[in-house]
Amino acid sequence: MGKQRLIRSELLIYGLPLFVILSSVFLALSPLTQAHPDLAIAVLYDLTLTAPLVYFLLIRKRKISKLTVVPVFILGVVIATFLLPENVQLHLSFIKAYVAPIVELVVLSILIRKIYTGVKTFKSNAKPASDFYITSRASAQELFGKSKLSAFLSSEIAMLYYALFSWKKKKRRANEFTNYKDTGSIPLAGGLIMVALIETFALHLLLMRWSTIAAWVLTGISLYSVLLIFGHIRALTKRLSVLTDTELILKNGLIADICIPLGEISKVELCATEVQSKHLKIGTLGLSKTSRDHNVALHFKTPQTIEKFYGFTEECHVLVLHIDDKNNFVDRIDQIID
């Protein structure tokens, strides 16, 4: 019953503005707008004002970002620009000249408010066992809800933070564990960066002969990838796995992390072989669903959720991972869960 009500609510929220837009498009393409100039003006204001206003009224009391009204307004302006006759372009110019700046000011004020609220939320979410990525994720979820938008923003912010700003040397505590010293992850990532930079330079020179735009687009994408890999390298050294009195927080750079209540761990063991099971889901903290360099296996009483980059998640009954100080790690968890 609740699910049906939710579906009906979403149909109303998105369906009614879409109906206004599609009806306006139908009228704009019909001969009526040519024969009746006043109708074309009405269609213009339906596209640029009525549809965004209806959408705003439907979402104003819901957990949907008010910034989503802006794409509806922009869509209406674009449709009106291409479909409506010249006799209404004066009205459209008026909207672009006077309404659009008001929209920009509103968007700017909302963003400033979000940033201010975000700083306060970030400070309130900061915990001793947490780090910048986990805290920014929690803050983004409070601001934008648990959505793809909040996951994307927190991932991008974390990548920029670790790549460009996190240069303070971190001293490892007794309850923290590294996972990168014995695996060769950092040298491999560094090699990928070197190859990417060399290939980017060569391809840029080659593509410049064909298309300047294509050359710079490819260069931008490549440099973004380099920044992402570099951010991951930095995060590996800054985001250490933490064992507290109540939970185990495991991290692997920017790729993944998982927070496990200690009461959910049924067994921990040294394990360097492949774990296979037809009934249990085996999880990893890497990009691949299988692991070849793990040395520890954690078994859970109930499935646990791995949080991965850009909001992807994965459930597992058993987690295999690499810990540099594996013996100490296993012994300490054994003492707690026994």
Side-chain angles (χ1 to χ4, degrees), residues 194-206:
M194 291 297 296
V195 171
L197 289 174
I198 293 169
E199 289 191 352
T200 298
F201 179 72
L203 283 173
H204 181 81
L205 294 178
L206 185 64

Side-chain angles (χ1 to χ4, degrees), residues 96-114:
K96 290 179 180 178
Y98 295 101
V99 178
I102 295 174
V103 173
E104 290 176 4
L105 286 174
V106 171
V107 170
L108 184 61
S109 64
I110 292 174
L111 287 174
I112 291 173
R113 183 183 175 187
K114 289 280 187 184

Side-chain angles (χ1 to χ4, degrees), residues 50-76:
T50 305
L53 181 61
V54 168
Y55 178 70
F56 172 75
L57 292 174
L58 290 171
I59 69 166
R60 73 187 190 282
K61 294 183 179 180
R62 300 179 185 273
K63 292 182 179 180
I64 300 176
S65 175
K66 305 302 181 288
L67 293 176
T68 55
V69 177
V70 178
V72 180
F73 171 74
I74 293 174
L75 178 63

Side-chain angles (χ1 to χ4, degrees), residues 172-192:
R172 187 171 71 88
R173 300 188 181 98
N175 67 330
E176 294 180 330
F177 299 88
T178 59
N179 67 341
Y180 61 88
K181 294 181 179 179
D182 299 333
T183 60
S185 300
I186 291 180
L188 177 62
L192 287 174

Side-chain angles (χ1 to χ4, degrees), residues 102-171:
I102 295 174
V103 173
E104 290 176 4
L105 286 174
V106 171
V107 170
L108 184 61
S109 64
I110 292 174
L111 287 174
I112 291 173
R113 183 183 175 187
K114 289 280 187 184
I115 292 170
Y116 175 73
T117 307
V119 172
K120 292 178 64 178
T121 306
F122 182 88
K123 291 179 179 178
S124 66
N125 285 327
K127 299 175 183 178
S130 187
D131 59 29
F132 182 87
Y133 192 7
I134 293 176
T135 305
S136 63
R137 183 193 297 151
S139 303
Q141 287 177 359
E142 286 193 24
L143 291 172
F144 302 102
K146 197 169 184 179
S147 61
K148 293 294 182 183
L149 174 62
S150 64
F152 176 80
L153 287 175
S154 60
S155 297
E156 290 294 303
I157 291 170
M159 183 265 288
L160 292 172
Y161 171 78
Y162 286 108
L164 303 176
F165 303 108
S166 180
W167 293 100
K168 187 177 180 180
K169 191 174 181 180
K170 181 178 176 65
K171 187 177 181 180

